[in-house]
CSV table of all heavy atoms in Angstrom, one decimal:
chain,number,residue,atom,x,y,z
T,1,ALA,N,6.9,-5.2,5.2
T,1,ALA,CA,7.5,-6.2,6.2
T,1,ALA,C,8.8,-6.8,5.5
T,1,ALA,O,9.9,-7.0,6.1
T,1,ALA,CB,6.6,-7.4,6.4
T,2,VAL,N,8.7,-7.1,4.2
T,2,VAL,CA,9.9,-7.7,3.5
T,2,VAL,C,11.0,-6.7,3.4
T,2,VAL,O,12.2,-7.0,3.6
T,2,VAL,CB,9.4,-8.2,2.0
T,2,VAL,CG1,10.7,-8.4,1.2
T,2,VAL,CG2,8.6,-9.4,2.1
T,3,ALA,N,10.7,-5.4,3.2
T,3,ALA,CA,11.7,-4.3,3.2
T,3,ALA,C,12.4,-4.3,4.5
T,3,ALA,O,13.6,-4.1,4.6
T,3,ALA,CB,11.1,-3.0,2.9
T,4,GLY,N,11.7,-4.4,5.6
T,4,GLY,CA,12.2,-4.4,7.0
T,4,GLY,C,13.2,-5.7,7.2
T,4,GLY,O,14.2,-5.5,7.9
T,5,ARG,N,12.7,-6.8,6.8
T,5,ARG,CA,13.4,-8.1,7.0
T,5,ARG,C,14.7,-8.1,6.2
T,5,ARG,O,15.7,-8.8,6.6
T,5,ARG,CB,12.6,-9.3,6.6
T,5,ARG,CG,11.8,-9.8,7.7
T,5,ARG,CD,11.3,-11.2,7.4
T,5,ARG,NE,10.4,-11.3,6.3
T,5,ARG,CZ,9.1,-11.1,6.3
T,5,ARG,NH1,8.5,-10.7,7.4
T,5,ARG,NH2,8.4,-11.2,5.2
T,6,HIS,N,14.8,-7.4,5.0
T,6,HIS,CA,15.9,-7.5,4.2
T,6,HIS,C,16.6,-6.1,4.0
T,6,HIS,O,17.0,-5.7,2.9
T,6,HIS,CB,15.5,-8.0,2.9
T,6,HIS,CG,14.9,-9.4,2.9
T,6,HIS,ND1,15.6,-10.6,3.3
T,6,HIS,CD2,13.6,-9.8,2.9
T,6,HIS,CE1,14.8,-11.6,3.4
T,6,HIS,NE2,13.5,-11.2,3.2
T,7,ARG,N,16.8,-5.4,5.1
T,7,ARG,CA,17.4,-4.1,5.1
T,7,ARG,C,18.8,-4.2,4.5
T,7,ARG,O,19.4,-3.2,4.0
T,7,ARG,CB,17.5,-3.5,6.6
T,7,ARG,CG,16.2,-2.8,6.9
T,7,ARG,CD,16.5,-2.1,8.3
T,7,ARG,NE,15.3,-1.5,8.6
T,7,ARG,CZ,14.3,-2.0,9.4
T,7,ARG,NH1,14.5,-3.2,10.0
T,7,ARG,NH2,13.2,-1.3,9.7
T,8,ALA,N,19.5,-5.3,4.7
T,8,ALA,CA,20.9,-5.5,4.3
T,8,ALA,C,21.0,-5.6,2.7
T,8,ALA,O,22.0,-5.4,2.2
T,8,ALA,CB,21.5,-6.8,4.9
T,9,GLU,N,19.9,-5.8,2.1
T,9,GLU,CA,19.8,-5.9,0.6
T,9,GLU,C,19.2,-4.6,0.2
T,9,GLU,O,18.0,-4.5,0.1
T,9,GLU,CB,19.0,-7.1,0.2
T,9,GLU,CG,19.5,-8.4,0.6
T,9,GLU,CD,20.7,-8.8,-0.2
T,9,GLU,OE1,20.9,-8.3,-1.3
T,9,GLU,OE2,21.5,-9.7,0.3
T,10,PRO,N,20.0,-3.6,-0.2
T,10,PRO,CA,19.5,-2.3,-0.6
T,10,PRO,C,18.4,-2.2,-1.7
T,10,PRO,O,17.4,-1.6,-1.6
T,10,PRO,CB,20.7,-1.4,-1.0
T,10,PRO,CG,21.9,-2.1,-0.4
T,10,PRO,CD,21.5,-3.6,-0.3
T,11,GLU,N,18.7,-3.0,-2.7
T,11,GLU,CA,17.7,-3.0,-3.8
T,11,GLU,C,16.4,-3.5,-3.3
T,11,GLU,O,15.3,-3.0,-3.6
T,11,GLU,CB,18.2,-3.9,-5.0
T,11,GLU,CG,17.2,-3.8,-6.1
T,11,GLU,CD,17.6,-4.6,-7.3
T,11,GLU,OE1,18.8,-5.2,-7.4
T,11,GLU,OE2,16.9,-4.7,-8.3
T,12,ILE,N,16.4,-4.6,-2.6
T,12,ILE,CA,15.1,-5.2,-2.1
T,12,ILE,C,14.5,-4.2,-1.1
T,12,ILE,O,13.3,-4.0,-1.3
T,12,ILE,CB,15.4,-6.6,-1.3
T,12,ILE,CG1,16.1,-7.6,-2.2
T,12,ILE,CG2,14.2,-7.1,-0.7
T,12,ILE,CD1,15.2,-8.1,-3.4
T,13,HIS,N,15.2,-3.7,-0.2
T,13,HIS,CA,14.7,-2.8,0.8
T,13,HIS,C,14.0,-1.6,0.1
T,13,HIS,O,12.8,-1.3,0.4
T,13,HIS,CB,15.8,-2.3,1.8
T,13,HIS,CG,15.3,-1.3,2.8
T,13,HIS,ND1,14.5,-1.7,3.9
T,13,HIS,CD2,15.5,0.0,2.8
T,13,HIS,CE1,14.3,-0.6,4.5
T,13,HIS,NE2,14.9,0.5,3.9
T,14,HIS,N,14.8,-0.8,-0.7
T,14,HIS,CA,14.2,0.4,-1.3
T,14,HIS,C,13.1,0.1,-2.3
T,14,HIS,O,12.1,0.9,-2.2
T,14,HIS,CB,15.3,1.2,-1.8
T,14,HIS,CG,16.3,1.7,-0.8
T,14,HIS,ND1,16.0,2.7,0.2
T,14,HIS,CD2,17.6,1.4,-0.6
T,14,HIS,CE1,17.0,2.8,0.9
T,14,HIS,NE2,18.0,2.1,0.5
T,15,VAL,N,13.3,-0.9,-3.1
T,15,VAL,CA,12.3,-1.1,-4.2
T,15,VAL,C,11.0,-1.6,-3.5
T,15,VAL,O,9.9,-1.1,-3.8
T,15,VAL,CB,12.8,-2.1,-5.2
T,15,VAL,CG1,11.6,-2.5,-6.3
T,15,VAL,CG2,13.9,-1.5,-6.0
T,16,ALA,N,11.1,-2.4,-2.5
T,16,ALA,CA,9.9,-2.9,-1.8
T,16,ALA,C,9.2,-1.8,-1.2
T,16,ALA,O,7.9,-1.8,-1.2
T,16,ALA,CB,10.3,-4.0,-0.8
T,17,LEU,N,9.8,-0.8,-0.6
T,17,LEU,CA,9.2,0.3,0.1
T,17,LEU,C,8.4,1.1,-1.0
T,17,LEU,O,7.3,1.6,-0.8
T,17,LEU,CB,10.2,1.2,0.8
T,17,LEU,CG,10.6,0.5,2.1
T,17,LEU,CD1,11.8,1.4,2.8
T,17,LEU,CD2,9.5,0.2,3.1
T,18,ASP,N,9.1,1.3,-2.1
T,18,ASP,CA,8.4,2.1,-3.3
T,18,ASP,C,7.2,1.4,-3.7
T,18,ASP,O,6.2,2.0,-3.9
T,18,ASP,CB,9.4,2.2,-4.4
T,18,ASP,CG,10.5,3.2,-4.2
T,18,ASP,OD1,10.4,4.1,-3.2
T,18,ASP,OD2,11.6,3.3,-4.9
T,19,LEU,N,7.3,0.0,-3.9
T,19,LEU,CA,6.1,-0.7,-4.4
T,19,LEU,C,5.1,-0.8,-3.4
T,19,LEU,O,3.8,-0.7,-3.7
T,19,LEU,CB,6.6,-2.1,-4.7
T,19,LEU,CG,7.6,-2.3,-5.9
T,19,LEU,CD1,7.9,-3.8,-6.1
T,19,LEU,CD2,7.1,-1.6,-7.1
T,20,ALA,N,5.4,-0.7,-2.1
T,20,ALA,CA,4.4,-0.6,-1.0
T,20,ALA,C,3.6,0.7,-1.2
T,20,ALA,O,2.3,0.7,-0.9
T,20,ALA,CB,5.0,-0.8,0.4
T,21,GLY,N,4.3,1.7,-1.5
T,21,GLY,CA,3.7,3.0,-1.7
T,21,GLY,C,2.6,3.0,-2.8
T,21,GLY,O,1.6,3.6,-2.7
T,22,TRP,N,3.0,2.3,-3.8
T,22,TRP,CA,2.0,2.1,-5.0
T,22,TRP,C,0.7,1.4,-4.5
T,22,TRP,O,-0.3,1.8,-4.8
T,22,TRP,CB,2.7,1.3,-6.1
T,22,TRP,CG,3.8,2.0,-6.8
T,22,TRP,CD1,4.4,3.1,-6.6
T,22,TRP,CD2,4.5,1.3,-7.9
T,22,TRP,NE1,5.5,3.3,-7.5
T,22,TRP,CE2,5.6,2.2,-8.2
T,22,TRP,CE3,4.5,0.1,-8.5
T,22,TRP,CZ2,6.5,2.0,-9.2
T,22,TRP,CZ3,5.3,-0.1,-9.5
T,22,TRP,CH2,6.4,0.8,-9.9
T,23,SER,N,0.9,0.4,-3.7
T,23,SER,CA,-0.3,-0.4,-3.3
T,23,SER,C,-1.1,0.4,-2.3
T,23,SER,O,-2.3,0.4,-2.3
T,23,SER,CB,0.1,-1.7,-2.6
T,23,SER,OG,0.5,-2.7,-3.6
T,24,ARG,N,-0.4,1.2,-1.4
T,24,ARG,CA,-1.2,2.1,-0.5
T,24,ARG,C,-2.0,3.1,-1.3
T,24,ARG,O,-3.2,3.4,-1.0
T,24,ARG,CB,-0.3,2.8,0.5
T,24,ARG,CG,0.2,1.9,1.6
T,24,ARG,CD,0.9,2.7,2.8
T,24,ARG,NE,2.1,3.3,2.2
T,24,ARG,CZ,3.3,2.5,2.2
T,24,ARG,NH1,3.3,1.3,2.6
T,24,ARG,NH2,4.4,3.2,1.8
T,25,GLU,N,-1.3,3.7,-2.4
T,25,GLU,CA,-2.0,4.7,-3.2
T,25,GLU,C,-3.3,4.0,-3.9
T,25,GLU,O,-4.3,4.5,-4.0
T,25,GLU,CB,-1.1,5.2,-4.3
T,25,GLU,CG,-1.8,6.2,-5.2
T,25,GLU,CD,-0.9,6.6,-6.4
T,25,GLU,OE1,0.3,6.6,-6.3
T,25,GLU,OE2,-1.5,7.0,-7.4
T,26,HIS,N,-3.1,2.8,-4.4
T,26,HIS,CA,-4.2,2.0,-5.0
T,26,HIS,C,-5.3,1.9,-4.0
T,26,HIS,O,-6.5,2.0,-4.4
T,26,HIS,CB,-3.7,0.6,-5.5
T,26,HIS,CG,-2.8,0.7,-6.6
T,26,HIS,ND1,-2.0,-0.4,-7.1
T,26,HIS,CD2,-2.3,1.8,-7.4
T,26,HIS,CE1,-1.3,-0.1,-8.1
T,26,HIS,NE2,-1.4,1.2,-8.3
T,27,ALA,N,-5.0,1.4,-2.8
T,27,ALA,CA,-6.0,1.2,-1.8
T,27,ALA,C,-6.8,2.5,-1.5
T,27,ALA,O,-8.0,2.5,-1.4
T,27,ALA,CB,-5.3,0.7,-0.5
T,28,GLN,N,-6.1,3.6,-1.4
T,28,GLN,CA,-6.7,4.9,-1.2
T,28,GLN,C,-7.7,5.3,-2.4
T,28,GLN,O,-8.8,5.7,-2.2
T,28,GLN,CB,-5.7,6.0,-1.0
T,28,GLN,CG,-6.4,7.4,-0.7
T,28,GLN,CD,-7.3,7.3,0.5
T,28,GLN,OE1,-6.8,6.9,1.6
T,28,GLN,NE2,-8.5,7.7,0.4
T,29,ARG,N,-7.2,5.1,-3.6
T,29,ARG,CA,-8.0,5.4,-4.7
T,29,ARG,C,-9.2,4.5,-4.8
T,29,ARG,O,-10.3,4.8,-5.2
T,29,ARG,CB,-7.2,5.3,-6.0
T,29,ARG,CG,-6.0,6.3,-6.1
T,29,ARG,CD,-5.3,6.4,-7.4
T,29,ARG,NE,-6.2,6.6,-8.5
T,29,ARG,CZ,-5.8,6.5,-9.8
T,29,ARG,NH1,-4.6,6.1,-10.1
T,29,ARG,NH2,-6.7,6.8,-10.8
T,30,LEU,N,-9.1,3.2,-4.4
T,30,LEU,CA,-10.1,2.3,-4.4
T,30,LEU,C,-11.2,2.7,-3.4
T,30,LEU,O,-12.4,2.6,-3.6
T,30,LEU,CB,-9.7,0.8,-4.2
T,30,LEU,CG,-9.0,0.1,-5.3
T,30,LEU,CD1,-8.2,-1.1,-4.8
T,30,LEU,CD2,-10.1,-0.4,-6.2
T,31,SER,N,-10.7,3.1,-2.2
T,31,SER,CA,-11.6,3.6,-1.2
T,31,SER,C,-12.4,4.8,-1.6
T,31,SER,O,-13.6,4.9,-1.4
T,31,SER,CB,-10.7,3.9,0.1
T,31,SER,OG,-11.6,4.3,1.1
T,32,ASP,N,-11.8,5.7,-2.3
T,32,ASP,CA,-12.4,6.9,-2.8
T,32,ASP,C,-13.4,6.5,-3.8
T,32,ASP,O,-14.6,7.1,-3.7
T,32,ASP,CB,-11.4,7.9,-3.4
T,32,ASP,CG,-10.4,8.5,-2.4
T,32,ASP,OD1,-10.7,8.4,-1.2
T,32,ASP,OD2,-9.4,9.0,-2.9
T,33,THR,N,-13.1,5.6,-4.7
T,33,THR,CA,-14.2,5.2,-5.7
T,33,THR,C,-15.3,4.5,-5.0
T,33,THR,O,-16.4,4.7,-5.4
T,33,THR,CB,-13.4,4.3,-6.7
T,33,THR,OG1,-12.4,5.1,-7.3
T,33,THR,CG2,-14.4,3.8,-7.8
T,34,ALA,N,-15.0,3.6,-4.1
T,34,ALA,CA,-16.0,2.9,-3.4
T,34,ALA,C,-17.0,3.8,-2.7
T,34,ALA,O,-18.2,3.6,-2.7
T,34,ALA,CB,-15.4,1.9,-2.3
T,35,ASP,N,-16.4,4.9,-2.1
T,35,ASP,CA,-17.3,5.9,-1.4
T,35,ASP,C,-18.4,6.4,-2.4
T,35,ASP,O,-19.5,6.6,-2.1
T,35,ASP,CB,-16.5,7.1,-0.8
T,35,ASP,CG,-15.7,6.7,0.4
T,35,ASP,OD1,-16.1,5.6,1.0
T,35,ASP,OD2,-14.8,7.4,0.8
T,36,ARG,N,-17.9,6.7,-3.6
T,36,ARG,CA,-18.8,7.2,-4.7
T,36,ARG,C,-19.9,6.2,-5.1
T,36,ARG,O,-20.8,6.5,-5.7
T,36,ARG,CB,-18.0,7.8,-5.8
T,36,ARG,CG,-17.3,9.0,-5.5
T,36,ARG,CD,-16.7,9.7,-6.6
T,36,ARG,NE,-15.6,9.0,-7.2
T,36,ARG,CZ,-14.3,9.1,-6.8
T,36,ARG,NH1,-14.0,9.8,-5.7
T,36,ARG,NH2,-13.3,8.4,-7.4
T,37,HIS,N,-19.5,4.9,-4.8
T,37,HIS,CA,-20.5,3.8,-5.1
T,37,HIS,C,-21.3,3.4,-3.9
T,37,HIS,O,-22.0,2.3,-3.9
T,37,HIS,CB,-19.7,2.6,-5.7
T,37,HIS,CG,-19.3,2.7,-7.1
T,37,HIS,ND1,-18.2,3.3,-7.4
T,37,HIS,CD2,-19.9,2.3,-8.2
T,37,HIS,CE1,-18.0,3.4,-8.8
T,37,HIS,NE2,-19.1,2.7,-9.3
T,38,GLY,N,-21.2,4.1,-2.8
T,38,GLY,CA,-21.9,3.9,-1.6
T,38,GLY,C,-21.4,2.7,-0.8
T,38,GLY,O,-22.1,2.1,0.0
T,39,LEU,N,-20.1,2.3,-1.0
T,39,LEU,CA,-19.5,1.2,-0.3
T,39,LEU,C,-18.4,1.8,0.7
T,39,LEU,O,-17.6,2.6,0.3
T,39,LEU,CB,-18.8,0.3,-1.3
T,39,LEU,CG,-18.1,-1.0,-0.8
T,39,LEU,CD1,-19.1,-1.9,0.0
T,39,LEU,CD2,-17.4,-1.6,-2.0
T,40,ASP,N,-18.5,1.4,1.9
T,40,ASP,CA,-17.5,1.9,2.9
T,40,ASP,C,-16.4,0.8,3.0
T,40,ASP,O,-16.6,-0.3,3.5
T,40,ASP,CB,-18.2,2.1,4.2
T,40,ASP,CG,-17.2,2.6,5.3
T,40,ASP,OD1,-16.1,3.0,5.0
T,40,ASP,OD2,-17.6,2.7,6.5
T,41,LEU,N,-15.2,1.1,2.6
T,41,LEU,CA,-14.0,0.1,2.7
T,41,LEU,C,-13.1,0.4,3.9
T,41,LEU,O,-12.1,-0.3,4.0
T,41,LEU,CB,-13.2,0.2,1.5
T,41,LEU,CG,-13.9,-0.2,0.2
T,41,LEU,CD1,-13.0,-0.1,-1.1
T,41,LEU,CD2,-14.4,-1.7,0.3
T,42,ARG,N,-13.5,1.2,4.8
T,42,ARG,CA,-12.7,1.4,6.0
T,42,ARG,C,-12.6,0.1,6.8
T,42,ARG,O,-13.7,-0.5,7.0
T,42,ARG,CB,-13.2,2.5,6.8
T,42,ARG,CG,-13.0,3.9,6.2
T,42,ARG,CD,-13.6,5.0,7.1
T,42,ARG,NE,-15.1,4.7,7.2
T,42,ARG,CZ,-16.0,5.6,7.3
T,42,ARG,NH1,-15.7,6.8,7.4
T,42,ARG,NH2,-17.2,5.3,7.4
T,43,ASP,N,-11.4,-0.2,7.2
T,43,ASP,CA,-11.2,-1.4,8.0
T,43,ASP,C,-11.6,-1.2,9.4
T,43,ASP,O,-11.6,-0.1,9.9
T,43,ASP,CB,-9.8,-1.9,7.9
T,43,ASP,CG,-9.4,-2.5,6.5
T,43,ASP,OD1,-10.3,-2.9,5.8
T,43,ASP,OD2,-8.2,-2.5,6.2
T,44,PHE,N,-11.8,-2.3,10.1
T,44,PHE,CA,-12.0,-2.2,11.5
T,44,PHE,C,-10.7,-1.7,12.2
T,44,PHE,O,-9.7,-2.1,11.8
T,44,PHE,CB,-12.5,-3.5,12.1
T,44,PHE,CG,-13.8,-3.9,11.6
T,44,PHE,CD1,-13.9,-5.1,10.7
T,44,PHE,CD2,-14.9,-3.4,12.0
T,44,PHE,CE1,-15.1,-5.5,10.3
T,44,PHE,CE2,-16.2,-3.8,11.6
T,44,PHE,CZ,-16.3,-4.8,10.7
T,45,ALA,N,-10.8,-0.9,13.3
T,45,ALA,CA,-9.6,-0.5,13.9
T,45,ALA,C,-8.9,-1.6,14.5
T,45,ALA,O,-9.5,-2.6,15.0
T,45,ALA,CB,-10.0,0.5,15.0
T,46,GLY,N,-7.6,-1.7,14.3
T,46,GLY,CA,-6.8,-2.8,14.9
T,46,GLY,C,-6.5,-3.9,13.9
T,46,GLY,O,-5.7,-4.7,14.2
């Protein structure tokens, strides 16, 4: 959202998108690990 709000600031826009990708990767790795621990981390749709 911050990257979208600050498109006019290239450093903010691009770095924020890169950092968001890191957090998405972390969330996926956490979800995979949680599955192996018998925990379902899938969010409710919507």
Side-chain angles (χ1 to χ4, degrees):
V2 167
R5 270 196 299 276
H6 302 287
R7 279 189 178 94
E9 298 287 338
E11 181 178 356
I12 301 295
H13 176 76
H14 294 292
V15 174
L17 288 176
D18 288 345
L19 298 180
W22 294 359
S23 284
R24 280 190 296 278
E25 179 187 334
H26 293 172
Q28 182 59 55
R29 292 183 66 189
L30 284 159
S31 183
D32 294 344
T33 300
D35 285 345
R36 290 189 290 277
H37 281 83
L39 178 65
D40 183 8
L41 292 180
R42 289 179 298 217
D43 288 337
F44 295 109

